[in-house]
Amino acid sequence: MRVKQALFLVGGKGTRLGSLTAATPKPLLEISPGVTFLDVLIEQFARHGFSDIILLAGHMAEQFQSRYHLRQHGGATMTVVCEPEPAGTGGALHAARDYLDDWFVMSNGDSYFDINLRSLTKPPVAGTIGRLALRNEKNVSRFGTVQVQGPRVTAFREKQAHIEGGGLINAGVYLLNRSVLDAIPPICSLERDVFPGLARARQLEGQVFDGYFLDMGLPDTYQLATLEMPARRQRPVAFFDRDGVLNQDHGYTHRVADLAWIKGAREAILLLNEAGYLVIVVTNQGGIGLGHYGLADMQAFHDRMQNDLANDGAHIDAFYHCPYHPNATTADYRHSNHPDRKPNPGMILRALDEWPVRLAGSFLIGDRDSDAMAAARAGIPGYLFDGVDVLATVSRILQDQKR
Ligand SMILES: [Mg+2]
């Protein structure tokens, strides 16, 4: 199961932000020049492989339409759905019922929770209809709390003045099954009217995450978003060569049936996902230029890798490939020394330019000298995989970085 659809609730009026939202809906306020708060949320979901993103709009919906409707953002196709009138979070979902996949993620459009979304969307146990992302909050006076037992949510509690040691609260990001609609009247709140019943029916899971959280709904917290989020977007990158590091290298490996993961590779990617790294594959694919296989074969291979990883709660943020080869059979792909073909650093340099990257901590792992050379030419450390266990290699690199 690999969930590909995400919905953002962006219909709120944002009245607590006063004059800031007089002419601009809350999620479209900028956190840095040209970058809206919503852009950062979309970037987060798109890099986790959500390719279908729906904005549930209401108030000032036309601004969302002109900026996003039917456009591509980071590989995701955007759709804006307008609610005829405000009908609560359940009502917003109801308005989008004709668009929904079997499983999707729903998120508030005015809060940012920096978590591994693939962990939230791991296959749930049979009978589950939803899974809530939860977080620990020391001061619960502003929030209702959530009771859990193992993976299950058992109850919701009203706001209380104080709970010793704090409590678990709903972070506003949910994995949901389409059948949740059976329980939703046209106007309602999911949180107040729907989730408590699902919890009683033992159909609701909760998963605790400890990522950075920011709700930008108050003048102070919006201010904080402009101060903190530009730096929060920047992440170190773990670059991987593909064949011989992530999967067994059979020589021009391209058939889905030939995908054999190398020991520790999936676990290493999960570790890096959880640690907040971008994971980017840079792979020479001269086999395409040589006519051994086509682009679609490679894409099917990568798709299968992502499906396998999704079952582990992991993902690869991006693949860069170089189809050029000096002896390519077609002129389009024939190039004596293409800047993308390792040992040249073109793919790495392009990724560093296209992603919000923090160079400090970034590195590459390959199995050939040409990989290490490409890393050196791009100005990042390169490590040769010893062929034993990718998780051990990555763990060692992360340990060294902490020193
Ligand atoms: Mg290799």
Side-chain angles (χ1 to χ4, degrees):
M1 158 169 157
R2 182 163 143 224
V3 181
K4 293 184 179 175
Q5 187 176 58
L7 282 64
F8 290 108
L9 294 159
V10 296
K13 286 218 169 74
T15 43
R16 291 177 304 166
L17 283 165
S19 61
L20 283 167
T21 44
T24 309
K26 184 162 51 165
L28 295 189
L29 292 175
E30 292 187 346
I31 56 119
S32 56
V35 180
T36 68
F37 188 87
L38 184 58
D39 287 341
V40 180
L41 298 192
I42 292 168
E43 177 179 275
Q44 180 198 17
F45 278 73
R47 73 181 177 82
H48 280 87
F50 290 83
S51 51
D52 174 14
I53 295 183
I54 297 176
L55 304 180
L56 303 176
H59 180 61
M60 296 194 226
E62 64 289 346
Q63 292 195 35
F64 293 97
Q65 284 190 305
S66 63
R67 189 178 172 98
Y68 296 106
H69 189 53
L70 300 183
R71 299 196 186 204
Q72 294 281 317
H73 274 259
T77 304
M78 309 291 305
T79 309
V80 177
V81 175
C82 295
E83 256 187 299
E85 56 199 64
T89 49
L93 192 55
H94 207 268
R97 64 191 174 282
D98 293 341
Y99 295 84
L100 299 178
D101 288 348
D102 281 351
W103 289 96
F104 55 90
V105 171
M106 186 167 178
S107 171
N108 287 337
D110 57 0
S111 59
Y112 174 64
F113 197 16
D114 184 7
I115 62 172
N116 175 3
L117 293 165
R118 284 292 155 210
S119 182
L120 181 70
T121 54
K122 270 193 296 192
V125 301
T128 297
I129 286 180
R131 180 185 288 144
L132 316 185
L134 306 174
R135 64 186 186 87
N136 275 295
E137 173 65 43
K138 284 208 176 66
N139 179 4
V140 296
S141 59
R142 282 171 56 215
F143 311 96
T145 54
V146 181
Q147 309 293 308
V148 295
Q149 194 173 61
R152 297 258 178 225
V153 171
T154 52
F156 294 84
R157 297 254 171 90
E158 298 288 316
K159 284 179 199 174
Q160 294 167 73
H162 179 74
I163 300 177
E164 193 61 43
L168 290 176
I169 66 167
N170 175 354
V173 189
Y174 318 128
L175 170 69
L176 294 172
N177 187 280
R178 177 169 215 295
S179 62
V180 72
L181 284 171
D182 301 343
I184 294 180
I187 299 176
C188 73
S189 152
L190 285 175
E191 295 75 8
R192 210 182 44 237
D193 307 321
V194 178
F195 290 163
L198 292 181
R200 281 191 297 274
R202 299 176 58 77
Q203 292 178 309
L204 196 60
E205 295 184 13
Q207 186 173 350
V208 183
F209 294 90
D210 66 355
Y212 172 80
F213 180 84
L214 194 138
D215 173 348
M216 54 87 82
L218 297 166
D220 283 1
T221 58
Y222 169 56
Q223 180 74 16
L224 202 59
T226 64
L227 292 173
E228 294 186 348
M229 285 181 63
R232 288 272 171 191
R233 279 178 76 206
Q234 316 260 318
R235 296 162 186 282
V237 189
F239 287 100
F240 284 93
D241 169 48
R242 199 193 77 182
D243 297 350
V245 179
L246 297 180
N247 54 274
Q248 303 288 351
D249 186 353
H250 306 297
Y252 299 114
T253 309
H254 66 279
R255 269 185 292 268
V256 169
D258 290 340
L259 170 58
W261 287 92
I262 286 176
K263 181 174 184 227
R266 291 159 67 158
E267 294 83 353
I269 292 169
L270 177 60
L271 177 71
L272 290 159
N273 292 154
E274 301 274 340
Y277 285 69
L278 294 170
V279 175
I280 296 179
V281 168
V282 284
T283 174
N284 279 356
Q285 291 292 321
I288 294 176
L290 293 168
H292 296 322
Y293 52 92
L295 191 63
D297 298 305
M298 181 197 72
Q299 280 161 344
F301 193 89
H302 293 171
D303 202 48
R304 173 61 188 275
M305 292 175 86
Q306 296 284 36
N307 285 344
D308 287 353
L309 290 168
N311 286 324
D312 301 343
H315 79 283
I316 290 165
D317 293 279
F319 290 88
Y320 287 74
H321 75 281
C322 176
Y324 302 95
H325 193 281
N327 306 322
T329 49
T330 57
D332 284 355
Y333 289 137
R334 200 175 307 133
H335 200 294
S336 60
N337 185 26
H338 195 279
D340 278 0
R341 186 167 164 82
K342 294 178 285 185
N344 292 328
M347 290 187 284
I348 303 171
L349 293 176
R350 201 143 40 85
L352 294 177
D353 183 55
E354 290 174 350
W355 291 85
V357 167
R358 196 167 74 222
L359 264 185
S362 297
F363 62 89
L364 175 143
I365 302 178
D367 67 329
R368 296 191 187 189
D369 290 341
S370 56
D371 296 316
M373 213 179 291
R377 288 177 183 176
I380 59 168
Y383 298 88
L384 275 185
F385 175 49
D386 59 12
V388 182
D389 181 341
V390 188
L391 179 61
T393 304
V394 167
S395 303
R396 213 156 39 231
I397 294 168
L398 298 192
Q399 282 299 322
D400 285 350
Q401 289 187 347
K402 281 190 194 141
R403 293 215 186 109

